[in-house]
Amino acid sequence: MLLSIADDPGIRLREIGAHVGITERAAHRIVGELESSGYVTRRRNGRRNHYTVNAHLRLPDALASEQRVGDLLSVLGNRPRAERSPRP
């Protein structure tokens, strides 16, 4: 889910669900958990949400606690992009 958001900060929950193979409702719950944990920030832009991955945060796993979210995204091939204009 973080990869989808990092790749497209204006992505819809329905699209996230389709990317990872879960329902829109499950995507909503997981993004809410990521937001409450501080890994994702959500900002309303009209009728759409714009998400920002907080890449500076450390990973929650004890074995990887020295690594940051941005490090994981880099390894997986996506880096959080600077804010860009949301899609129309």
Side-chain angles (χ1 to χ4, degrees), residues 17-54:
H19 284 184
V20 298
I22 59 176
T23 65
E24 182 178 351
R25 177 173 273 198
H28 187 274
R29 181 182 51 78
I30 294 168
V31 169
E33 290 172 1
L34 289 170
E35 185 179 10
S36 66
S37 298
Y39 290 100
V40 172
T41 303
R42 178 179 48 156
R43 178 176 46 97
R44 286 297 280 179
N45 188 359
R47 294 177 56 188
R48 301 282 304 267
N49 288 320
H50 184 273
Y51 300 97
T52 303
V53 175
N54 297 315

